[in-house]
Amino acid sequence: METLLLNAISVDEFMDKLRTMIREELKIALQQDQLLTKEGALKMTGASTAVFLKAINDGLVKPQLVKGRKKAMYLESEVLKIEVRRRRSNS
């Protein structure tokens, strides 16, 4: 994070620098991965448990252990890489 010295800049410069700092902080915050439970990951991808377990065994998704939680968590960016094939109906 950047600091500003207020005694040597004008109000317009201050506001411009403040806007750029806020934009950078928002960009960093939005790029962070969310941790999902298995149920949340299955809901998000629409995958079956078998497909999800296959992705874990293939190393596509890695379980994360979080202190204070009993269940494993999974990174959203890894979960979104799971390919789900849909069956076509014959109608």
Side-chain angles (χ1 to χ4, degrees):
M1 188 166 190
E2 191 177 329
T3 59
L4 296 175
L5 293 175
L6 297 176
N7 60 355
I9 62 173
S10 69
V11 174
D12 292 333
E13 287 179 84
F14 171 75
M15 294 306 287
D16 288 338
K17 287 187 179 190
L18 189 62
R19 283 187 195 100
T20 57
M21 286 171 41
I22 290 172
R23 263 190 233 117
E24 290 172 11
E25 291 293 322
L26 277 174
K27 190 187 309 181
I28 291 169
L30 291 175
Q31 289 177 347
Q32 293 177 347
D33 262 343
Q34 299 291 320
L35 285 172
L36 303 170
T37 61
K38 179 181 176 185
E39 293 80 15
L42 292 175
K43 248 183 215 181
M44 180 177 277
T45 59
S48 66
T49 304
V51 171
F52 189 72
L53 291 176
K54 185 177 184 309
I56 292 173
N57 290 334
D58 291 345
L60 189 63
V61 178
K62 296 169 201 72
Q64 309 284 324
L65 297 176
V66 179
K67 185 177 180 178
R69 299 212 66 167
K70 294 180 182 176
K71 292 184 177 184
M73 305 289 282
Y74 306 92
L75 289 174
E76 182 180 7
S77 61
E78 292 177 351
V79 168
L80 292 175
K81 293 178 187 175
I82 298 174
E83 291 183 26
V84 180
R85 288 183 250 160
R86 304 278 181 212
R87 292 184 187 175
R88 291 188 176 194
S89 62
N90 294 333
S91 30

